[in-house]
Amino acid sequence: MEVESSLRFPLDGSMQIIFTGYYNGFGVEVRSVDEMNLLYNMGCFGKGTSSRSKPRESQNVPAVMRKRQFLKRMCWYKKYGDPKKSLESDIFLKDVNKLVAKILSDGEKHLKKDVIDLVSSEESGAEDNCDMFSLESYNKEDLVVIMPNSDSEDDDYFANLKPKCCVNKIKMQEKLMLSKQESFFLLYGLGCLQILNNDDNVLNIEQCWKMFQEDDKYFLEKYVVYHYFRSKGYVVKPGIKFGGDYLLYKEGPSVNHADFIVLIRYAGDEYDWISIFGHLRVASTTVKEVLMVEVISPNKEELQLPKDLREYGVREVLLSRNNPVAINDEIE
C-alpha cells in the first residue's frame, strides 16, 4: 500500500478516510482531535492518554484536580519546564536515568530532595502558586481548579471545601494511543491508516511489520489472534487488567463489560494449571469466561510475511470452572 507523505486525513478517490499516526517506539499516537474521535467511535480503537478509555473532548472549562496532583505538576515544571533545557522531546526520559543513579548514590537525605513527592500534600511554596483572580483575564483552558486532598474517610470533606483557581503551567495534550496490533490491523487489514516515523516519513506495510516484530517477539501470534477476533465482530482491547492478553467485547467498553478473557498459548509454552485456575477464578468473580487460543502455523515451507498471514489459523478452547453445589436433603 503506497500512501503519499503529504496526506493528512484526506479522502481519496474511493472516499476512503486515511488516518495519520506517529510511531513513538511503544505504539502509534493519533494527534488530530477529529481523527481521534472518529477513529474511536468507528470501532473503539485506541485509548486516550489522559482519560480512562475514550479520548476526552475539550469543553472550554477549567480542569479540576487535587492539590497533590497540582503540586506534582508544578515540581515537574520547575525541573523540566525551562525552554532552554527542553530542546529535545525526550529530555525527561534522559534525566530519569541520571536521577535514578543519583538516588542510589546519595542515600536517604538526598533522595528526599531530588525525588518528586507523589504522596505528601504539604510542600513549601504551594500558596505562591495558587492565587484568586478573575477568570475573565485568562483563557479557561489555561486554568485549573484545585480541590483539597481527602486522605481519610472520617473527614468531613465538604464542610471546609475551599477550592482555588490557579494557572495550569503544564498541559497534558490528549492523544489517542494505538497498540501495535491495532495499528497494523488498521494499516494492513482495513487500509485506513498511514504510520509515520520520527523523521515524518510514511512507513509501508513491510517496514511496519519488520519494526513491530523487532520490538515484540510475540507480535505475530498477538496480531493473528487480534485480527481473528476483530474479523468475528468483537471489540478487542488489552487484557492486562485481568491477567490476560486480550479482552473481548460484543459492543464496546462504553456499552457493556467484557465477555471473554483471552489467553494466548505461545509455541513452546507448557500449561501452568495453577495459573489457569487463577484466571478462571478471576473470570468467575468478574462475570467473564476464559478463552485459551493457540495460533496454528501453516505447512507452507516458505512464507512471505505479512502477505501470507491468511495461511495462519487459530484454535480456541473455552474454559469453565464448575463450582460444586452442596444440596442438603433433609429426611423428615
Side-chain angles (χ1 to χ4, degrees):
M1 186 182 78
E2 298 295 335
V3 184
E4 297 181 6
S5 60
S6 60
L7 295 179
R8 292 296 184 276
F9 194 43
L11 294 175
D12 61 10
S14 62
M15 299 301 292
Q16 181 184 8
I17 298 176
I18 304 297
F19 300 94
T20 301
Y22 300 84
Y23 185 65
N24 58 12
F26 301 96
V28 176
E29 57 185 45
V30 179
R31 303 170 182 174
S32 170
V33 177
D34 294 334
E35 293 186 40
M36 287 191 299
N37 294 329
L38 184 57
L39 191 55
Y40 186 86
N41 294 329
M42 184 178 74
C44 298
F45 292 101
K47 177 190 177 300
T49 54
S50 62
S51 56
R52 297 186 64 180
S53 183
K54 184 177 181 180
R56 186 178 303 168
E57 299 180 4
S58 177
Q59 299 177 351
N60 195 25
V61 294
V64 179
M65 66 178 65
R66 295 294 177 94
K67 182 180 178 181
R68 65 166 60 92
Q69 184 180 5
F70 176 74
L71 294 179
K72 181 173 61 177
R73 292 194 180 189
M74 290 303 300
C75 190
W76 286 348
Y77 179 77
K78 290 178 182 179
K79 286 182 177 289
Y80 310 106
D82 188 356
K84 297 180 181 179
K85 298 180 180 180
S86 303
L87 298 178
E88 300 181 16
S89 60
D90 59 344
I91 190 171
F92 175 79
L93 297 177
K94 293 181 179 179
D95 289 344
V96 166
N97 295 329
K98 298 179 181 178
L99 185 60
V100 171
K102 186 174 180 62
I103 291 172
L104 296 176
S105 61
D106 289 355
E108 185 67 22
K109 181 178 179 181
H110 294 284
L111 182 145
K112 293 181 179 179
K113 292 182 179 180
D114 297 326
V115 175
I116 300 172
D117 191 353
L118 303 182
V119 178
S120 176
S121 60
E122 301 297 334
E123 294 189 19
S124 59
E127 298 299 329
D128 298 336
N129 298 323
C130 297
D131 297 321
M132 300 302 295
F133 45 80
S134 175
L135 292 177
E136 285 76 9
S137 59
Y138 290 89
N139 189 341
K140 293 182 179 179
E141 295 183 354
D142 297 331
L143 304 178
V144 60
V145 177
I146 308 301
M147 305 295 290
N149 297 322
S150 177
D151 300 321
S152 175
E153 296 180 357
D154 298 332
D155 297 338
D156 193 353
Y157 182 75
F158 295 99
N160 300 317
L161 189 63
K162 297 179 180 179
K164 292 186 177 182
C165 195
C166 309
V167 177
N168 188 14
K169 295 184 179 180
I170 293 185
K171 298 180 181 179
M172 302 293 185
Q173 181 184 358
E174 178 76 307
K175 301 175 183 178
L176 183 70
M177 293 302 303
L178 301 172
S179 66
K180 297 182 181 68
Q181 292 75 32
E182 289 177 315
S183 305
F184 198 76
F185 179 76
L186 292 169
L187 171 66
Y188 171 78
L190 300 183
C192 63
L193 177 70
Q194 58 178 358
I195 301 176
L196 282 66
N197 58 14
N198 293 329
D199 298 326
D200 208 32
N201 296 324
V202 177
L203 304 174
N204 58 31
I205 293 178
E206 288 74 18
Q207 290 173 324
C208 289
W209 176 262
K210 181 180 178 181
M211 182 172 58
F212 291 164
Q213 273 205 309
E214 291 176 352
D215 294 341
D216 186 356
K217 64 179 181 179
Y218 296 120
F219 175 74
L220 190 151
E221 291 86 350
K222 290 179 180 178
Y223 177 74
V224 170
V225 174
Y226 181 91
H227 193 125
Y228 172 76
F229 285 112
R230 271 289 183 178
S231 301
K232 295 182 70 173
Y234 286 104
V235 174
V236 186
K237 306 297 286 186
I240 187 172
K241 181 178 180 180
F242 297 95
D245 293 283
Y246 293 120
L247 293 177
L248 302 184
Y249 298 82
K250 291 182 179 179
E251 298 184 38
S254 60
V255 179
N256 51 22
H257 293 285
D259 298 282
F260 299 99
I261 301 174
V262 177
L263 303 177
I264 301 177
R265 183 174 181 265
Y266 300 100
D269 288 353
E270 296 181 358
Y271 284 106
D272 183 359
W273 291 109
I274 296 178
S275 177
I276 292 177
F277 287 148
H279 283 99
L280 290 173
R281 186 175 182 85
V282 170
S284 63
T285 56
T286 55
V287 197
K288 296 175 178 57
E289 294 182 283
V290 176
L291 276 176
M292 178 75 74
V293 299
E294 183 180 5
V295 176
I296 304 173
S297 301
N299 296 325
K300 194 174 180 180
E301 295 183 356
E302 295 183 0
L303 294 174
Q304 297 180 359
L305 298 175
K307 181 180 178 181
D308 291 334
L309 280 174
R310 63 173 65 92
E311 303 293 335
Y312 285 84
V314 174
R315 180 187 294 115
E316 54 180 291
V317 178
L318 180 63
L319 305 180
S320 62
R321 177 172 179 261
N322 295 324
N323 296 321
V325 179
I327 302 177
N328 297 323
D329 295 330
E330 297 181 0
I331 302 176
E332 297 182 0

